[in-house]
Amino acid sequence: MMLKYILFTSILLLLVLFLRNFLKTIRGNESKISFSLVGVGFIFGFFDTLGVGGFAPTLAYLKNFEKIKISEIPDILLLSFAIPTVLQTFIFVSSIEISSRLLAFGIIVPVVGYAIFNYLKRYIHEKHIKNIVGFGLILSGTIAIIQNLGIISLSVNSDFIPFKKEIIIYISIFFFGALTNFGVGNFSPTLILFELLGIDPRLGFPIMMGACAVIMLISGLKEKNNHTIKMSIPLSLTTGMIIAVPLGAYFIHVMDIKVISWMVIAIVISSGIQAVLSKN
């Protein structure tokens, strides 16, 4: 219980700093709300809360319909999903029982992965970033297909997680955190990792959303965002997502998302292929 209070307090402190920087940036930038983007944020935020993942389809939308440069999209995603992901974190950390060790390391390790690759990505050519994003999207879509077809069917045990499996989790989510630098969400990979290990996938919600919340809040403090991003985009997306998160949390146990899930898969895979084949 004490760990949850520490986590909530730390995230709230980061949120205050993030909001101060976010509001300051809005005042000095183009920040007119786009109602179409509010709608996009609502849709993807709703299904993001259900664990479908909103990073990849939002990336696809921004790239294909808003014509945003792919090199700018990762920072836009991090800014847009920050506040909604904080709400998700509070909801799922409060409602899902998880060991203190898994919760603590499950949040810290992806943040470390993000920080290390956030420094290293400056040495990576933009085309390499596109390839990383593209292959990541294709992989996420393929994993989602496997889930939807019911090919994976393992016994699930959430009462006891062997230490060896914990090590596998920490190594894997380190790289999941690193990939957030390139616009690749960690929701689908984290959930499928838990399922492959025979662990209740619901335990992935608190750690993947907690890690994302910290990463996004830290990313939102970067000064470069003040000058390179058209702030009307993250402001509009965030507005829609904030409305959607409580609704998604409410309907999480009763909503059938199978059809929408297949639509997301199609968008994710097609966008991934386009990113890999893109020449500019």
Side-chain angles (χ1 to χ4, degrees):
M1 184 63 70
M2 180 60 67
L3 177 62
K4 290 183 180 181
Y5 289 138
I6 295 174
L7 174 63
F8 288 166
T9 301
S10 301
I11 291 178
L12 283 174
L13 290 175
L14 283 174
L15 180 61
V16 170
L17 296 174
F18 172 87
L19 286 174
R20 185 177 66 177
N21 188 65
F22 192 73
L23 294 174
K24 177 182 176 181
T25 304
I26 289 174
R27 287 195 294 268
N29 203 315
E30 183 180 349
S31 55
K32 183 179 179 180
I33 288 182
S34 165
F35 289 103
S36 62
L37 283 177
V38 171
V40 170
F42 178 88
I43 294 171
F44 293 148
F46 182 84
F47 290 103
D48 191 68
T49 306
L50 300 182
V52 174
F55 248 48
T58 306
L59 183 152
Y61 180 88
L62 293 176
K63 180 178 182 295
N64 295 319
F65 294 97
E66 296 295 327
K67 306 302 180 183
I68 304 298
K69 293 181 180 179
I70 197 168
S71 59
E72 297 178 0
I73 293 179
D75 282 330
I76 292 177
L77 291 175
L78 291 171
L79 281 173
S80 302
F81 279 79
I83 298 175
T85 306
V86 169
L87 293 178
Q88 292 172 352
T89 300
F90 287 173
I91 290 172
F92 289 107
V93 170
S94 300
S95 61
I96 295 178
E97 290 296 328
I98 183 172
S99 73
S100 297
R101 183 172 66 189
L102 183 59
L103 179 61
F105 283 101
I107 292 176
I108 293 172
V109 171
V111 172
V112 172
Y114 162 79
I116 292 175
F117 277 80
N118 184 256
Y119 173 77
L120 294 177
K121 75 175 183 178
R122 71 187 68 181
Y123 301 108
I124 303 176
H125 192 275
E126 183 174 333
K127 178 57 182 175
H128 295 158
I129 296 178
K130 291 181 180 180
N131 286 336
I132 291 173
V133 172
F135 285 120
L137 292 176
I138 294 171
L139 176 61
S140 297
T142 303
I143 290 172
I145 289 175
I146 294 173
Q147 287 178 304
N148 277 12
L149 292 176
I151 296 175
I152 298 176
S153 181
L154 299 174
S155 59
V156 174
N157 178 15
S158 60
D159 297 328
F160 173 73
I161 302 177
F163 185 69
K164 289 182 180 179
K165 288 188 177 183
E166 278 199 47
I167 296 300
I168 294 175
I169 290 173
Y170 300 144
I171 293 174
S172 299
I173 63 178
F174 171 85
F175 291 103
F176 296 163
L179 287 178
T180 59
N181 285 289
F182 307 104
V184 181
N186 70 337
F187 280 19
S188 293
T190 300
L191 293 177
I192 199 64
L193 171 68
F194 275 66
E195 190 167 348
L196 285 170
L197 292 175
I199 303 169
D200 190 341
R202 289 174 297 181
L203 295 181
F205 279 80
I207 66 173
M208 68 190 186
M209 292 175 173
C212 275
V214 174
I215 289 172
M216 292 171 185
L217 291 175
I218 292 175
S219 176
L221 300 179
K222 294 186 295 185
E223 288 297 324
K224 72 172 187 175
N225 290 330
N226 295 353
H227 310 288
T228 61
I229 292 178
K230 184 179 177 182
M231 289 301 294
S232 61
I233 297 175
L235 177 62
S236 301
L237 290 173
T238 297
T239 301
M241 291 178 190
I242 288 176
I243 299 172
V245 168
L247 293 176
Y250 176 77
F251 286 106
I252 195 167
H253 296 299
V254 298
M255 193 76 170
D256 184 3
I257 60 171
K258 215 62 172 174
V259 175
I260 300 297
S261 181
W262 282 113
M263 293 173 60
V264 170
I265 289 171
I267 295 173
V268 166
I269 294 181
S270 62
S271 179
I273 294 173
Q274 290 176 22
V276 172
L277 298 179
S278 175
K279 295 181 179 180
N280 48 48

